[in-house]
Every structure is written in C-alpha cells, then in structure tokens.
Amino acid sequence: MKFEKFVGNRKIIERVHTKLREQRFPHGLIFSGPQGVGKHTCALMIAKALNCLTAPPGEFCDECAACRKIESGTHPDVVTVSVEDEATQIKIAQIRQLLGILDLQPLEGRSKVFIIDPADLLNAEAANALLKGLEEPPENSLFVLITVNVHELLRTVRSRCQIYNFTPLTMEDVRQHGIFDELTVRWSQGSIGRARSLDLPQLKNERAVVLEFLETVVTAREEEFQDLLGVSAEMGRAKQEFENRMDMLAVLIADLLYTKEGAREPVVNVDISDRLVKLAARVETERLIKMAEFLRFIESSMKIHVNRQMLADVLALTGNQTVVHWLDGI
Ligand SMILES: [Zn+2]
C-alpha cells in the first residue's frame, strides 16, 4: 500500500509523508489511537520509505527486496518488539536486546526502525530502559511506539517523541475499502481491524439474545414480569459475553434513538430496521436515555469486581415502563 492509498487519518499520513520527503524526520514517534485504524501499517510504510532500494527519498516501491522483507517482518534493520507468547508485558530483556543493536550500523538498509507495539504493555523497567535509546538516538534510527492510549506511556517517554493521534475511520472510509458488506461497515466502529475480524453469524446470534432482552424489558406489562425476570436472569448469567452484550445493547439503544428522530444514516443495525421502528414506537426517549446512562455506569463498574446479576436486574427495571410508573407513584 502506498501513502496515497492509505484510507482515513489523511492529515497524519500527509504530514508523515511530507517530513519523509523533506528528510527531516524525528527519531521518536508515538502513534496513538483505536485498534485497527492502520497505525502499524503506517509504521511499516515509514520503515519502507527509509529503506527502499529503488524509490526517491520519502517514497517506497513496495516491490524491491527491502520493501518485501519489511512487509514480511524479515528485514534485519526493521524490528518489531511485541509481547512474547504467554507473557503479559514487554520485558526489559527485549528492550536491552534492541538497545544492543541501536548503535550498530544498519545491516542491509539505510535506517534502523524499531516498532514497539503495543507500547502501553512495556513494563516499568522496560520503559525506563527504552528512555536511554530515546534520549540519544543515533542519526539513522527511528522508534515508533504504538498504543491505544498515549497517557498509558511514561511522561518521560512521551516528552521525547512526536505524538500522532489516530482517530476512528468514518463509515465512508471503511466502505471505501470495498471489501466489506454494509452491516460489517456499520459494525466496524471505524476500525478496519475490527471489520476484518468480525464474525457476522456469531454477531447476529448474540444480537438476537440482546434484542430479546431489550424488547422484553421495554414492553413487559405487570402480568409479564416473569418474562422480564427471566431475560434479566439470562443476561446476568453471561460471563465473558456480558461486556460484549452490554456494548451491543448500547448500540441498539443508540439505533432506537436515531430511529425515533428519523435519522437513518447513523443506524448500525440496518438489516433489522423494521423491528427497530416497531420497538422505537413502543418506548419513550427518556427511558432509552436512562438505560444508556445506566450502561455507562455498567461500563465503568466492569473494571472492579461486580455483581453482573444485580446490574442486569437494575438495567431491566430501568427500562421497564410499569416499574418507572410505580417509582413515580412512590
Ligand atoms: Zn522498495
């Protein structure tokens, strides 16, 4: 892929490209932003531009031996440091190994490029060791630190790098790739990586469970409370799926709010729009907003030990009309 073909985050790409062409590239970069928007791809493109055997400065051919080796991860001067198998963090030994080759001349290319991905998983010792490399980098070297959240990195590391904040892609950007169907585009949440890994049949199965929960919660009358408690109990029993289902519920509630406003373009679940229209007609905006607010509370609670069943029950009761009327009467 060439710089011109990179989809999304065009301002960043153009800035990087200009700096490369003008040969005034810094030694430390941080690419921060959501997963799957091309941060690693961009780092590899820079490595190619710095080492391509045929293209003029700032460009790369994507075909020569150097470009192909960088693409396949076998170029000796372009090293990606990541979390090793069965480890949870990047260790100091990995960074020391990298610093060991920092001062050597490049073996095959013109520049050494070290990509640390994900840099937020550097343990404290490793991050401190990396600082040495960032403090006095040799002329022909570049560090690219990739992270979903720049604030997870040490301030001393941040201050020695130029920071580029990548943003999610627009739906139009994802569509532009031309390889995804419309539902995948809408569920991608602006991430090509997510679009690629999305398992649509599984997503639809999970969505069916969440939609049944939502429909029951919103429409159950007093005499149907057993149903309400039933779906709530099922939701509370979910273990690793629980967070995913809460995220899905948030998307469905947003879809209902858009549907109520008559805004069709931002709706994600376009394949079930008839069902959404019917459901939207049966629930007040205020109740949807209350549920959305409670979902945000759930999201923040998930970081600590929580009682999923209690959360599911409160969520179900928050969304039910009869209960809301009871509470109003107290
Ligand atoms: Zn090349």
Side-chain angles (χ1 to χ4, degrees):
M1 194 202 290
K2 300 286 180 68
F3 285 110
E4 296 74 20
K5 293 271 173 65
F6 191 96
V7 176
N9 289 289
R10 289 303 312 170
K11 275 193 185 145
I12 290 179
I13 300 302
E14 275 154 29
R15 211 170 121 204
V16 161
H17 197 184
T18 304
K19 280 177 187 281
L20 279 167
R21 270 192 303 236
E22 293 174 355
Q23 295 178 294
R24 52 182 182 94
F25 216 63
H27 292 288
L29 301 175
I30 293 174
F31 287 173
S32 174
Q35 275 174 354
V37 297
K39 300 188 299 298
H40 196 94
T41 304
C42 181
L44 291 180
M45 288 160 81
I46 293 168
K48 288 176 189 172
L50 291 171
N51 286 298
C52 180
L53 300 171
T54 63
E59 309 294 337
F60 61 94
C61 70
D62 229 359
E63 287 166 7
C64 70
C67 284
R68 284 207 309 269
K69 281 185 182 176
I70 292 168
E71 182 68 33
S72 63
T74 54
H75 196 292
D77 300 316
V78 178
V79 181
T80 296
V81 178
S82 193
V83 178
E84 288 171 339
D85 286 347
E86 295 180 25
T88 53
Q89 291 185 312
I90 296 176
K91 298 173 194 152
I92 189 166
Q94 293 173 267
I95 299 301
R96 281 200 183 126
Q97 200 176 5
L98 187 151
L99 296 178
I101 54 173
L102 181 64
D103 288 321
L104 306 176
Q105 283 304 310
L107 289 167
E108 287 183 18
R110 297 183 299 277
S111 293
K112 279 177 300 209
V113 181
F114 302 115
I115 303 169
I116 321 260
D117 184 9
D120 41 289
L121 292 186
L122 284 162
N123 70 23
E125 286 177 310
N128 277 311
L130 180 66
L131 268 177
K132 277 197 194 134
L134 290 169
E135 270 164 7
E136 293 165 18
E139 204 36 52
N140 50 6
S141 67
L142 168 70
F143 288 89
V144 187
L145 278 58
I146 296 180
T147 177
V148 288
N149 182 2
V150 67
H151 299 290
E152 299 276 325
L153 305 183
L154 292 181
R155 195 196 319 211
T156 40
V157 168
R158 291 202 305 265
S159 67
R160 282 171 178 79
C161 297
Q162 235 171 49
I163 300 171
Y164 291 81
N165 290 305
F166 284 67
T167 54
L169 275 57
T170 62
M171 268 198 231
E172 198 42 52
D173 286 337
V174 182
R175 220 172 263 136
Q176 213 183 312
H177 272 259
I179 49 172
F180 306 117
D181 60 77
E182 188 55 23
L183 191 59
T184 304
V185 167
R186 285 170 186 261
W187 268 104
S188 69
Q189 295 176 333
S191 161
I192 296 296
R194 186 175 149 84
R196 286 217 169 94
S197 63
L198 212 60
D199 179 343
L200 225 43
Q202 195 199 353
L203 181 141
K204 286 183 178 175
N205 282 343
E206 280 293 294
R207 189 183 61 182
V209 175
V210 176
L211 197 57
E212 197 199 333
F213 172 81
L214 184 58
E215 281 172 340
T216 309
V217 161
V218 164
T219 61
R221 295 164 209 271
E222 203 171 336
E223 61 273 22
E224 293 162 336
F225 254 44
Q226 282 305 325
D227 299 341
L228 179 79
L229 296 174
V231 290
S232 182
E234 192 188 335
M235 191 59 84
R237 272 196 299 273
K239 291 199 171 77
Q240 59 270 51
E241 314 94 21
F242 187 78
E243 267 185 274
N244 184 29
R245 286 182 184 175
M246 292 300 111
D247 291 345
M248 233 171 207
L249 192 54
V251 173
L252 283 165
I253 287 173
D255 279 358
L256 288 175
L257 286 166
Y258 286 128
T259 304
K260 283 183 89 68
E261 285 172 15
R264 296 183 70 88
E265 182 46 33
V267 170
V268 171
N269 296 284
V270 278
D271 57 323
I272 52 165
S273 53
D274 290 350
R275 213 164 148 186
L276 292 176
V277 168
K278 277 185 201 148
L279 188 57
R282 298 188 66 180
V283 55
E284 304 97 1
T285 301
E286 198 188 333
R287 255 192 305 146
L288 291 171
I289 291 172
K290 278 198 172 139
M291 285 186 85
E293 279 168 0
F294 194 69
L295 281 171
R296 275 197 288 277
F297 169 75
I298 291 180
E299 195 188 341
S300 58
S301 311
M302 293 310 291
K303 294 188 182 85
I304 49 176
H305 182 71
V306 288
N307 182 336
R308 282 186 289 265
Q309 190 58 64
M310 187 194 73
L311 291 173
D313 288 345
V314 177
L315 179 66
L317 298 175
T318 304
N320 188 261
Q321 192 176 17
T322 313
V323 174
V324 171
H325 286 167
W326 280 347
L327 293 175
D328 283 348
I330 292 171

